[in-house]
Each structure stands twice: as structure tokens, then as C-alpha cells.
Amino acid sequence: HQPFQPTMRFNLLGVLLCSLLPTVLCFPPSRANGISSSTSKQASFNGRIVQRHDLRGHPTKSLQQVGSRPFPLSMAGTDVAGGGQEKQESAGLKKISQFLQKNFFVCGMFVAVTMARLFPTLGKNGSLLRPELVIGKFGVTLIFLVSGLSLKLSELTEAFSNWKLNVLIQSLIFGAWPLCVGYPLVHILTKYATNLLPLPLVEGLFVLTCLPTTVNMCILLTSSAGGNVACALCNAVISNLMGIFATPAILMKFFGNSNAIQLPFGEMVLKLCNKVLLPVAIGQGLRATPVKEFYTKNSKAIKRAQELILLGIVWNAFCNAFYKGLGISIQHGLFLFGLLSVLHVGALFGLIPFFSLFNYSRPQAVAGAFCASQKTLAFGLPLVNTIFEGNPNMAAYCAPIMFIHPLELLLGSLFVPKISKYVEEGDKKAQ
């Protein structure tokens, strides 16, 4: 016989059953169990379900107690059902926990914006917590220090040699996006569709088009779709290093003499080098020390710390925005969500055949498409926070970046099977 494992719920129900024991004892055991006591085998109860047989050989079950008459099977079933329900609840909680861990950053952004809306004075610049110092300076430095520590430049040698493909991808990231997408969007939304989005959000869309590609996501999706991972890794590194110089230059040209950017270009680049390039270089140097082993063993916890710092940047930006009475309406948010979805899907599936026109292999075309169609949040938020420091429209400039991040992950993952099939078909044709 299989022993019955007691649980907390079983113990509580046991107390209840014991309190009902006098009532149960008022009925003959044959009535309670539907089994004749003269034809039933007696057995003791040691916290388990005992199997019994009647004269016809039909197996029956009852829950029995030591030195007393058996409990009705219906009551035993209550305990068993309770244990099953507890397992179901435990499984449900486990699924929720797995979902939150898998989508920690997306859920965290929702929490950060909600907390900023409820308690804007807590996270605004100059508050007791001093987020502009703790998050804006020390936190961002830590992000890029860890990025340098995790970067394996030794794996990029072969990918760097294909300079023609790299130049094409970087031209699309810093040339085609601002010129062919950013400027036309700004012109249409400010001249012919002025009611669709307010001006700060339109400017935020242009800021998004000037950003480098993602660091981790384009590599992950390229690998899942069977693309050239070395190519994706190489261009992710080149793009984010170029972004220190290219992104401020394009934004300075776009905003001109407006008050949106208060720092001179040279001072801005120097500040970005101190905030980005220097920590990355220090991180690379630390790879030759025992710190590398510590990072390898604790990479998941360190990555989670990076995500928390990025969420802190989001929280600080929206606290400042809500404190000054600025926000994004649901109508504008939905339009922005739809527009960015169309732009991302169009870029992804338009760039794959575009790279094929230059006789690049399908894995290279997939890597190029993922790199050239995505915009970084991990580098974008600190970059925007540095360039537009003190600007009242900071939250509007960050909003498109926050919207595009979950979209890139969701839509990219959705189309990975289709793109993977495209790569496999190319391999079969090559054979």
C-alpha cells in the first residue's frame, strides 16, 4: 500500500474530522461505508488510505484511524482532493513565478512607470534618494563596466575581416534609419498629422532612429534563427562603440540651436567616453584578473542587477515627467505601439532580401537584418539620459525606446521559426 503523505491542509482537515468524529460514530460503519461490517476486513489507520474487499471481491477504500471505526470514504476523499488542489495551486504559482522571471524587465518597466505615477516626488531629481547621482552616474558606470567584462573580443577576429558587410550594416543603422525613417516620420507627423502624436513624442521617435543596435537581443535571435552569430556579435560591438560619437552628432544636427541639448558636442562626447568607453575598457582589463571567474559564476545575478539599474533610469525619468505634469495618453501610447510594430516588422523582413541582393549568404543576411532592424534600450537610455540631461521632455524621448524593447523581443521571437526555415532551405539548396 502507498503511504499517504500528510500536509498542512491535511492536518487542518484532520482536526475538523476529529471534531466531527462523534457524529460519525452515531452511524454504523456499514452505513457510513456502504460495506457490511461482518464482511469487511478490519485494518488500523497509520495516516494512510487502506484498501479493503467485500465478499464479492470488489476493492473499496476507506480512511481508518488506530483503535477506532473507519472514517467514511467521502471524508477521506476530501483530504485527497484537498491535496490535489494544493498541488494545482502550487503549480499555478510556479508558472507565475517562471513568467515573471522570464519577463522580469518588461514587467519591471510597468511597475517602474506605475510607481513613478503614484509617487513622483520620491524619484525626481533632487529628492532624498538622489537618483540622478546614484542611478544616473554610479549605476550607468556599473552597467558599462559589466558590459566590458562580458565582452569576448577574441571571438570577433573572423567577423571583423568581413568589413564590407560590417560597413553596410552600420550604414543602415546610423544612415538609413535617421534619413529614410526618422526625418520622413517627423515631417509627416508635424506637417500633415499633427493630432496623432505630440511634438516631444515625435522627437522621441527620431531619437530612437539614431540609436545603435541591441547588444544581447540581436545575438540571441540570430542564434535562434540559425544566422551568423559572429557577424551579429561583431556589429553589435561596433554599433555601440560608434554610438558614442555618431548618435550625438546626428542629434546635434537635427535639434540644431534649440535648447533640447544643452551640452556642446565636444563636451558631450567627452562625457560619454568617460561614462561609457572608460568603464568598458576597465571591464576588458578585468577579464585578465580573478574578477572574470567571479562574473562567470554570478552572471545571472549581475545581469539582473543591470536590469534593475535600467529600470531605475526609467523610474527616474518618469518621476521627473509626472512631477512636472507631463504624461502619455492611452491614445498616443496605442498609436506609438502600432507604429513601432509596423516599422520593426517592415525593417526585419525588408532587410533580409536586401542583404541577399549583395550575394551574402542567408545566415549573414539574417544576422544583418536583426542587427540593422533593432534599437538598443540598454545603451539607449543612458545615452539619452546623458545627452538630454535636464530636458523636461526626457520621458517623451525615452518612451519610444521603452516601447520598442518588448516589441523587438516579442515580434522577433514570433518570427524566428519562419526565418529559421528560410535559413534551412538555403542550406539544403547549397547541398
Side-chain angles (χ1 to χ4, degrees):
H1 304 295
Q2 297 295 325
F4 181 77
Q5 299 295 334
T7 62
M8 180 64 71
R9 177 169 295 177
F10 173 72
N11 293 335
L12 294 175
L13 287 174
V15 173
L16 178 61
L17 290 174
C18 288
S19 65
L20 296 176
L21 187 59
T23 306
V24 177
L25 293 177
C26 292
F27 295 92
S30 58
R31 299 284 186 181
N33 290 311
I35 304 169
S36 173
S37 58
S38 60
T39 60
S40 299
K41 300 178 181 179
Q42 296 297 324
S44 63
F45 172 61
N46 292 314
R48 59 181 181 174
I49 298 176
V50 181
Q51 186 169 352
R52 311 170 66 198
H53 296 78
D54 59 13
L55 286 175
R56 297 179 181 178
H58 296 155
T60 59
K61 292 182 180 180
S62 64
L63 189 63
Q64 293 184 329
Q65 186 181 20
V66 176
S68 69
R69 300 188 184 189
F71 287 121
L73 178 60
S74 58
M75 291 188 178
T78 304
D79 287 336
V80 176
Q85 184 178 358
E86 183 175 350
K87 289 181 179 179
Q88 290 178 353
E89 291 176 357
S90 177
L93 291 174
K94 186 176 180 180
K95 288 182 179 180
I96 294 174
S97 176
Q98 290 175 346
F99 174 83
L100 292 176
Q101 290 179 5
K102 186 177 180 180
N103 302 277
F104 175 81
F105 192 81
V106 176
C107 297
M109 284 198 297
F110 175 79
V111 173
V113 175
T114 303
M115 293 299 292
R117 183 69 182 89
L118 295 175
F119 310 104
T121 56
L122 189 63
K124 70 181 185 67
N125 290 347
S127 67
L128 182 65
L129 299 178
R130 297 300 301 274
E132 72 278 7
L133 180 65
V134 177
I135 298 171
K137 292 185 178 180
F138 303 133
V140 171
T141 300
L142 181 61
I143 285 177
F144 291 109
L145 180 69
V146 173
S147 297
L149 186 61
S150 62
L151 191 61
K152 300 178 182 178
L153 290 178
S154 59
E155 299 178 357
L156 306 179
T157 307
E158 182 181 351
F160 270 114
S161 62
N162 195 352
W163 62 271
K164 291 183 179 179
L165 176 59
N166 298 338
V167 168
L168 181 58
I169 293 173
Q170 299 306 317
S171 300
L172 291 170
I173 293 172
F174 294 109
W177 268 103
L179 293 175
C180 302
V181 180
Y183 273 117
L185 270 179
V186 171
H187 183 73
I188 293 171
L189 293 174
T190 54
K191 298 293 183 182
Y192 306 106
T194 55
N195 295 327
L196 292 177
L197 286 177
L199 182 60
L201 277 180
V202 175
E203 293 175 343
L205 280 172
F206 184 81
V207 171
L208 175 68
T209 62
C210 301
L211 294 178
T213 188
T214 56
V215 178
N216 295 320
M217 195 182 303
C218 68
I219 299 171
L220 175 65
L221 293 175
T222 298
S223 175
S224 301
N228 190 315
V229 177
C231 175
L233 179 61
C234 173
N235 282 278
V237 173
I238 294 174
S239 174
N240 281 266
L241 291 177
M242 284 184 61
I244 300 173
F245 308 97
T247 299
I250 299 171
L251 292 177
M252 289 287 288
K253 180 66 176 177
F254 173 76
F255 285 99
N257 297 325
S258 66
N259 295 325
I261 302 176
Q262 299 176 358
L263 286 176
F265 177 74
E267 186 177 345
M268 184 193 310
V269 171
L270 182 61
K271 189 173 183 179
L272 285 172
C273 287
N274 290 332
K275 186 178 280 190
V276 179
L277 205 56
L278 182 61
V280 169
I282 294 174
Q284 275 292 298
L286 290 175
R287 287 183 63 83
T289 68
V291 176
K292 177 185 175 182
E293 184 178 353
F294 174 81
Y295 170 78
T296 304
K297 291 181 179 179
N298 302 276
S299 58
K300 290 184 178 180
I302 294 173
K303 183 181 179 182
R304 183 56 50 86
Q306 284 183 292
E307 292 177 340
L308 288 172
I309 294 171
L310 289 173
L311 292 175
I313 295 174
V314 173
W315 172 65
N316 175 230
F318 275 85
C319 279
N320 291 324
F322 288 127
Y323 179 75
K324 296 172 184 177
L326 299 175
I328 301 173
S329 67
I330 296 178
Q331 178 184 354
H332 295 153
L334 290 175
F335 178 79
L336 193 62
F337 189 85
L339 177 63
L340 291 174
S341 300
V342 172
L343 288 176
H344 181 64
V345 173
L348 180 61
F349 284 99
L351 287 172
I352 291 177
F354 173 79
F355 282 105
S356 299
L357 293 175
F358 295 88
N359 296 322
Y360 290 114
S361 65
R362 292 193 178 190
Q364 289 176 326
V366 168
F370 274 121
C371 288
S373 65
Q374 296 188 350
K375 295 296 178 179
T376 178
L377 178 140
F379 183 73
L381 285 180
L383 192 68
V384 171
N385 193 46
T386 302
I387 295 174
F388 297 100
E389 186 175 358
N391 192 304
N393 295 324
M394 178 74 75
Y397 296 161
C398 292
I401 306 173
M402 293 170 57
F403 274 66
I404 198 66
H405 177 78
L407 279 175
E408 288 171 342
L409 181 60
L410 176 65
L411 295 174
S413 302
L414 182 66
F415 294 119
V416 156
K418 183 177 180 65
I419 298 173
S420 179
K421 185 178 180 181
Y422 165 79
V423 175
E424 290 174 359
E425 290 174 352
D427 293 339
K428 290 179 181 178
K429 289 181 180 179
Q431 293 174 358

